[in-house]
Amino acid sequence: MLKLRALEPEDLEQLYAIENNLDDWDFACMSAPFSKYALRDYISNQHCDLSVDQQVRLVVCDDENPQQVIGLADIFNYDGRHRRAEVGMVIEKSLRGNGYATKAVALLIDYALRICLLDQLYAFISEENIASCKVFDKNGFKRASILKNWFKNTNSSSNAIIFQLFLKKI
């Protein structure tokens, strides 16, 4: 069984490896690698409070082995006035394809609803990232729109699908 927990100083090496995995940058908004110093500083100074930090980064781990990092789950681009935030998820490359992302997004939804008291979540996912699209589809997100040529790669570009989930009836 999976759970979400706060980042710990012991997570630095795995956080560094996940954040700096160039293979995942095609689907993210990264343009430079993170230094260990910057990540150590982030871990030390985060408040784990969405209203203070404007983001929350959580570790996806096994409930029986919380030190094993399976992936990272993010709530970011928080907008307190409109009670919404963007979400992101990355699973350790060697552990992909085991259903962890689907379960982790479900946990993230529950966290956003019960702890953060958000009304809606959204995500920008490359239409080429079929596995991620399936994860968000399975978790009840709706495809709200398509942004043409949103993600630029070395030799091409891909469209972004905006996924949206209303957590409460409006």
Side-chain angles (χ1 to χ4, degrees):
M1 178 164 219
L2 296 184
K3 74 174 192 173
L4 301 175
R5 66 166 174 79
L7 280 167
E8 298 287 350
E10 296 79 23
D11 298 323
L12 178 62
E13 292 301 323
Q14 286 183 288
L15 179 62
Y16 180 79
I18 290 171
E19 288 290 357
N20 292 314
N21 181 352
L22 291 173
D23 294 340
D24 292 333
W25 284 21
D26 286 346
F27 302 124
C29 295
M30 299 277 297
S31 60
F34 283 104
S35 68
K36 285 185 182 178
Y37 176 84
L39 293 172
R40 186 179 301 114
D41 186 60
Y42 174 77
I43 292 170
S44 298
N45 293 310
Q46 68 175 340
H47 296 92
C48 295
D49 184 334
L50 189 58
S51 63
V52 173
D53 296 328
Q54 303 296 297
Q55 67 177 7
V56 175
R57 168 157 290 166
L58 300 164
V59 173
V60 179
C61 63
D62 186 306
D63 196 23
E64 294 178 15
N65 183 9
Q67 296 310 310
Q68 181 194 3
V69 176
I70 292 171
L72 301 172
D74 295 323
I75 299 176
F76 58 105
N77 287 336
Y78 170 67
D79 184 329
R81 178 173 181 234
H82 299 292
R83 313 274 331 139
R84 67 177 174 238
E86 188 172 350
V87 293
M89 171 73 53
V90 63
I91 299 297
E92 179 76 43
K93 191 171 184 171
S94 65
L95 299 173
R96 293 177 186 168
N98 294 307
Y100 291 134
T102 301
K103 293 173 189 169
V105 169
L107 290 172
L108 195 59
I109 291 167
D110 183 62
Y111 182 88
L113 178 61
R114 293 187 325 113
I115 306 302
C116 301
L117 306 175
L118 294 174
D119 291 338
Q120 62 178 296
L121 301 174
Y122 63 94
F124 294 81
I125 302 174
S126 170
E127 67 183 3
E128 293 178 5
N129 191 346
I130 295 168
S132 288
C133 290
K134 286 181 181 178
V135 165
F136 282 83
D137 285 334
K138 287 179 186 176
N139 276 289
F141 281 77
K142 302 300 179 206
R143 296 170 185 233
S145 188
I146 294 179
L147 299 170
K148 300 292 185 183
N149 300 314
W150 194 254
F151 294 108
K152 299 293 181 189
N153 304 320
T154 305
N155 298 316
S156 65
S157 62
S158 63
N159 298 335
I161 301 171
I162 302 174
F163 283 82
Q164 186 177 26
L165 177 68
F166 290 98
L167 300 171
K168 300 176 181 178
K169 299 251 190 246
I170 296 179

